[in-house]
Amino acid sequence: KAELAALDTLLAARRADETVYPDGENPYRIDYAVYNLRSKAVIKRLIEAAGSGVDVRVLVEADQISPERPWNTVDEQFEEAGLQGMRTDKNTSLAEREAATLVGIDSNHLMHLKARVLNWKNPETGQPEQLVLSGSMNPGDGAARNDENLNAIRDPRIAKLYEEKVDAVLAHRRTDNVWNPDQAINVLFTPAKSGPRPIEKLFEWIDQEQEQILINVFDMKDVIDPASKKKLTEKLIEAKDRGVDVVVVTDRKKSDGRDAQGNRVEMYGHFASNSWVDEDLERAGVPVYEFQNESGQYNAVHGKAAIFGRSQTKVLTGAGN
């Protein structure tokens, strides 16, 4: 509802403004860089926006709109509306990608962002407005029944970084990350060309924490600290042993590959893989709560967040598991 309301606000502002803007000067812009796009309501509004004088650009993971996934039809819907689509941007020029409304990003890693950047002019004040929606939630049909987080960001400094990230994804460029400890909010992207990486900040905060670490994550892998070369499980167990309250919440279908009755389950067209992270933590005395979202076969406990501390709380959240 929050996403649709934001799109409706932008559409209403565009309809109230009869100005024809030259190329490059349009204040009405929608940039989506999302892993998957299945919501019919969102797709309908994006098509309407493109036909109403809004600059629309949608980037998705190329594999999600490949012929092997016929249930994803955003590419067909865009083409039926007369919008130029590119199912894969492999062996294409940047100019060709910039000319398309929908681009399947085909790189050597997943395009796993869930970011929407909306720009419009307030019809009452004439002032520019900007909103970023990001977090764990894809604009999908079943995502509304998942356990998710969707972050609404209006900080112009952060919004600018998201705009630059969309440009970087289209150009297959890595990101120059910047961390400002004096700011309440920072954003780090992957893959990074320079600056701190999210994985480094994760382990830094684990090592610093003396009170509590609460983790809620869909897919928990035993990633390795680049500095110490220790695994995530080792670091969390060390934190527990020094008196930190460590609690993990995750998705059982993903962590065990089983449903509540113990049957093997498919998740997103393939069998969910069993990870031993939960068992390793449980054996060390770390409480791990494995939940199952029973809204549907492919619904999940899909949020991605970690909370550090009680007296000086920090939150790490976004699109990354």
Side-chain angles (χ1 to χ4, degrees), residues 30 38 103-104 132 138 159 163 178 222 252 321:
I30 298 175
R38 288 173 54 91
V103 180
V132 171
N138 285 296
E163 286 189 311
V178 177
D222 214 358
R252 186 180 187 222
N321 287 293

Side-chain angles (χ1 to χ4, degrees), residues 28-301:
Y28 301 93
R29 303 190 306 277
I30 298 175
D31 284 309
Y32 267 49
V34 292
Y35 176 64
N36 196 2
L37 175 53
R38 288 173 54 91
S39 168
K40 292 179 181 178
V42 170
I43 293 170
K44 178 183 177 182
R45 283 163 173 79
L46 293 176
I47 291 172
E48 181 182 347
S52 302
V54 179
D55 289 344
V56 176
R57 176 172 55 173
V58 177
L59 314 181
V60 298
E61 163 61 34
D63 182 59
Q64 291 295 317
I65 53 173
S66 67
E68 289 76 28
R69 297 177 185 263
W71 53 87
N72 290 340
T73 62
V74 60
D75 44 341
E76 285 92 346
Q77 292 179 66
F78 270 45
E79 288 172 355
E80 287 172 6
L83 302 177
Q84 183 178 345
M86 181 183 291
R87 287 181 174 83
T88 172
D89 67 347
K90 212 170 189 64
N91 302 319
T92 63
S93 67
L94 180 57
E96 290 174 311
R97 285 172 247 156
E98 288 175 337
T101 305
L102 174 71
V103 180
I105 301 298
D106 193 340
S107 58
N108 60 0
H109 53 265
L110 281 183
M111 207 294 287
H112 196 251
L113 283 172
K114 294 114 170 60
R116 307 81 148 154
V117 186
L118 282 64
N119 286 275
W120 70 96
K121 236 171 41 169
N122 187 303
E124 295 180 1
T125 66
Q127 295 301 307
E129 297 207 18
Q130 192 173 46
L131 175 67
V132 171
L133 296 175
S134 188
S136 71
M137 189 171 189
N138 285 296
D141 49 358
R145 298 187 300 276
N146 283 347
D147 295 285
E148 301 275 11
N149 57 278
L150 184 67
N151 308 316
I153 304 166
R154 292 188 179 274
D155 184 328
R157 180 181 58 92
I158 299 296
K160 183 174 184 291
L161 294 174
Y162 272 93
E163 286 189 311
E164 293 172 352
K165 178 61 177 177
V166 176
D167 291 337
V169 169
L170 190 65
H172 290 267
R173 285 195 314 267
R174 290 175 177 257
T175 307
D176 293 308
N177 283 331
V178 177
W179 185 271
N180 186 341
D182 297 325
Q183 297 284 353
I185 302 174
N186 283 280
V187 59
L188 301 177
F189 294 108
T190 60
K193 178 182 177 184
S194 65
R197 293 183 293 158
I199 193 171
E200 294 166 345
K201 192 58 63 174
L202 167 67
F203 281 107
E204 176 187 323
W205 284 4
I206 290 174
D207 287 342
Q208 292 174 351
E209 188 52 48
Q210 301 299 320
E211 294 175 332
Q212 72 174 7
I213 300 173
L214 310 177
I215 295 175
N216 168 28
V217 66
F218 168 64
D219 188 10
M220 193 167 179
K221 295 288 195 294
D222 214 358
V223 292
I224 296 175
D225 177 9
S228 69
K229 307 305 179 185
K230 290 184 177 180
K231 295 179 179 179
L232 176 62
T233 47
E234 295 178 84
K235 288 287 191 175
L236 291 176
I237 292 167
E238 286 178 359
K240 179 196 93 56
D241 290 344
R242 65 175 180 264
V244 178
D245 292 329
V246 180
V247 179
V248 175
V249 171
T250 190
D251 182 275
R252 186 180 187 222
K253 286 189 281 189
K254 188 65 178 175
S255 63
D256 288 350
R258 304 280 176 179
D259 63 15
Q261 289 73 44
N263 302 311
R264 287 291 303 275
V265 293
E266 273 197 324
M267 182 156 282
Y268 312 118
H270 55 81
F271 279 107
S273 57
N274 180 35
S275 163
W276 292 103
V277 172
D278 49 327
E279 286 86 357
D280 289 343
L281 290 173
E282 287 164 356
R283 278 191 288 269
V286 174
V288 179
Y289 296 89
E290 299 173 76
F291 289 102
Q292 181 168 305
N293 187 324
E294 296 183 341
S295 300
Q297 181 181 359
Y298 302 117
N299 288 105
V301 180

